[in-house]
């Protein structure tokens, strides 16, 4: 049975919430939403359970659209890691309803659609993501995954020595 | 003010099943001035496969008395992605040695690698 490679390329919005120096007082501020920050770290470490749990807490404490968007974007990735594509889709949709230019979420939703076997929607998301970020390697990875699903290929390499074109070289002494 | 740096991650995950792809390598001809001893097939470059790129590379080289390829160089190629694996494959190949006392033919050999992708046959 022929089988083919499927790789997964997820993008995460790293809600690091790193301390930022106040230019005037040189005071170092801590992260505003530690749960979002730790949740992102857990997801980066591919700990889906912990990442989702922390990010959910972070979402409850989110202040403003920006933090909510980060939380939903990472929950989309996290639930996909947990193999819950339907839940992941809800979070991706939330992000894109509030920010239709968020290429990372198009990337992740395309993966969700692949998981759900909704290949045409996946292709549309990849196309939209590439319009927003044409150089994204992640989107190329996702496109490769999609192609492997819809048009799988086998690699073939022919080694052809027939075209030898020997050329006389100067005599070399050994 | 909080800064939210965006970090792009590439994660390889087991969410979807992954297996090594089958690679078919075929030697068309082995006739030449020097008989191949071991012919190494190159790997299909991952990015080329991902992006569905096919191509062809011709690598030319000399062969020393012991059968090792020397002065390996790309003569022509349709895509640079295929050059490195082709060179690596030639360098990992060997030819039958020439016994002492016999003359080593000083000719350049060339080997062409044709990388292609064919629709996979999926069997249930």
């Amino acid at each position: 049975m022929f089988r083919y490679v499927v790789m997964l390329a997820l993008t995460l919005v790293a809600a690091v919430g790193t301390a930022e120096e106040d230019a005037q007082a040189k005071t170092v501020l801590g992260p505003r939403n530690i749960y979002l920050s730790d949740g992102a770290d857990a997801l980066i470490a591919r700990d889906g359970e912990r990442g989702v749990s922390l990010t959910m807490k972070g979402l409850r404490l989110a202040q403003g659209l920006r933090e909510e968007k980060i939380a939903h974007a990472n929950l989309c990735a996290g639930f996909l890691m947990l193999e819950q594509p339907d839940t992941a889709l809800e979070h991706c949709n939330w992000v894109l309803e509030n920010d239709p230019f968020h290429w990372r979420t198009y990337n992740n939703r395309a993966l969700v659609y692949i998981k759900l076997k909704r290949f045409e929607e996946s292709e549309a998301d990849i196309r939209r993501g590439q319009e927003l970020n044409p150089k994204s390697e992640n989107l190329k990875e996702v496109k490769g995954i999609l192609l492997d699903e819809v048009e799988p290929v086998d690699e073939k390499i022919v080694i052809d020595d027939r075209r030898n074109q020997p050329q006389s070289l100067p005599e070399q002494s050994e | 003010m909080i800064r939210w740096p965006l970090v792009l991650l590439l994660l390889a995950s087991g969410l979807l099943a992954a297996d090594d792809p089958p690679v078919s390598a075929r030697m068309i001809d082995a006739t030449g001035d020097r008989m191949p001893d071991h012919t190494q097939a190159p790997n299909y470059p991952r990015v080329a496969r991902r992006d569905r790129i096919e191509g062809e590379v011709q690598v030319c080289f000399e062969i020393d008395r012991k059968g090792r390829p020397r002065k390996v160089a790309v003569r022509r190629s349709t895509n640079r992605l295929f050059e490195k694996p082709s060179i690596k494959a030639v360098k990992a190949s060997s030819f039958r040695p020439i016994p002492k006392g016999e003359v080593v033919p000083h000719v350049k050999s060339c080997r062409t690698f044709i990388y292609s992708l064919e629709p996979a046959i999926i069997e249930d």
Side-chain angles (χ1 to χ4, degrees):
Chain A
M1 181 173 121
F2 287 101
R3 301 165 90 172
Y4 45 92
V5 169
V6 180
M7 286 185 62
L8 180 65
L10 273 178
T11 65
L12 290 172
V13 180
V16 178
T18 50
E20 181 169 322
E21 282 187 331
D22 182 311
Q24 300 297 317
K26 302 290 182 193
T27 303
V28 176
L29 302 176
R32 180 185 286 170
N33 189 327
I34 192 73
Y35 292 115
L36 274 190
S37 173
D38 289 352
D41 287 345
L43 291 173
I44 288 167
R46 290 203 265 167
D47 186 345
E49 293 274 359
R50 187 163 179 271
V52 164
S53 170
L54 288 165
T55 307
M56 291 291 265
K57 286 180 185 174
L59 178 59
R60 284 194 283 274
L61 298 171
Q63 294 178 23
L65 184 63
R66 198 175 197 187
E67 286 189 12
E68 284 184 83
K69 197 169 72 180
I70 290 167
H72 283 289
N74 286 352
L75 285 170
C76 175
F79 279 110
L80 189 56
M81 279 185 198
L82 296 177
E83 304 231 26
Q84 296 179 38
D86 290 307
T87 311
L89 183 59
E90 291 171 16
H91 291 286
C92 276
N93 286 343
W94 189 99
V95 176
L96 293 173
E97 281 163 16
N98 288 277
D99 180 2
F101 302 103
H102 203 257
W103 73 266
R104 285 181 174 80
T105 301
Y106 284 110
N107 179 94
N108 289 351
R109 195 171 70 173
L111 285 165
V112 171
Y113 281 139
I114 291 171
K115 193 72 178 167
L116 294 169
K117 308 280 182 198
R118 292 163 64 174
F119 300 128
E120 288 184 7
E121 287 153 295
S122 177
E123 190 177 1
D125 273 2
I126 292 166
R127 203 179 309 123
R128 181 72 180 124
Q130 288 184 322
E131 284 169 9
L132 295 167
N133 187 358
K135 292 182 178 175
S136 167
E137 279 296 308
N138 281 74
L139 282 159
K140 287 180 186 173
E141 291 290 339
V142 177
K143 189 172 183 181
I145 293 166
L146 175 65
L147 286 173
D148 281 348
E149 287 289 325
V150 298
E151 296 171 15
V153 288
D154 286 329
E155 301 163 2
K156 186 180 174 190
I157 299 169
V158 174
I159 303 167
D160 188 349
D161 279 354
R162 286 180 305 180
R163 300 179 201 181
N164 275 359
Q165 294 180 339
Q167 293 178 340
S168 293
L169 296 177
E171 286 290 326
Q172 292 177 358
S173 55
E174 290 191 50
Chain B
M1 195 172 83
I2 301 294
R3 187 161 52 96
W4 298 98
L6 300 178
V7 176
L8 181 64
L9 277 184
L10 178 65
L11 298 177
S13 164
L15 280 180
L16 302 172
D19 290 293
D20 287 334
V23 180
S24 155
R26 189 162 62 95
M27 185 82 184
I28 282 187
D29 184 44
T31 57
D33 294 284
R34 299 288 293 270
M35 286 299 291
D37 190 24
H38 167 69
T39 301
Q40 178 70 43
N43 292 320
Y44 207 103
R46 198 189 71 80
V47 170
R49 183 187 188 281
R50 180 196 73 184
D51 296 344
R52 300 299 193 264
I53 297 170
E54 299 177 315
E56 194 171 315
V57 177
Q58 189 177 43
V59 178
C60 295
F61 50 93
E62 295 173 23
I63 306 165
D64 69 13
R65 178 178 291 279
K66 290 181 179 176
R68 295 173 301 201
R70 293 282 183 249
K71 298 182 184 176
V72 181
V74 172
R75 171 181 275 185
R76 59 180 178 82
S77 114
T78 57
N79 192 309
R80 295 198 67 181
L81 280 173
F82 298 110
E83 293 180 12
K84 200 171 173 181
S86 302
I87 290 172
K88 196 174 168 186
V90 167
K91 285 183 175 175
S93 298
S94 61
F95 294 79
R96 288 189 191 163
I98 301 286
K100 280 186 180 177
E102 291 186 23
V103 177
V104 178
H106 292 296
V107 292
K108 188 169 275 190
S109 296
C110 294
R111 176 167 283 177
T112 302
F113 297 92
I114 302 162
Y115 298 80
S116 60
L117 296 166
E118 297 181 342
I121 300 165
I122 308 296
E123 296 171 10
D124 290 329

